[in-house]
Amino acid sequence: MNGHGYSDSYWMLAHFGVWQLAIFFVFWWLIFGWPVAKILRRMGFSGFWVLLCFVPLGNIIGLWVMATTRWPRVDRD
């Protein structure tokens, strides 16, 4: 215990430096963000909707919005 009621393993990313965290987030973006942005653009939406993927509960809300709205790409065809 460190005196705060949490074990040292509770904060897993606390031991990483700034560069390690930056590399982690770039890797995370390449694995998840880039493909989702490409899919969103093919659907006719802005690629910035991908930011909802990284927000807790925002991704679920984004999926519901995508499922219930008219897709701009489908309306054009």
Side-chain angles (χ1 to χ4, degrees), residues 37-68:
K38 286 187 65 120
I39 291 169
L40 287 169
R41 278 188 247 124
R42 282 187 181 176
M43 291 169 43
F45 291 100
S46 171
F48 287 109
W49 276 87
V50 75
L51 297 176
L52 286 177
C53 285
F54 302 106
V55 177
L57 293 178
N59 52 10
I60 296 171
I61 293 168
L63 283 174
W64 277 96
V65 169
M66 296 290 169
T68 57

Side-chain angles (χ1 to χ4, degrees), residues 1-2 6-12 15:
M1 288 285 181
N2 58 8
Y6 299 110
S7 66
D8 288 333
S9 64
Y10 181 77
W11 302 102
M12 293 188 315
H15 300 289

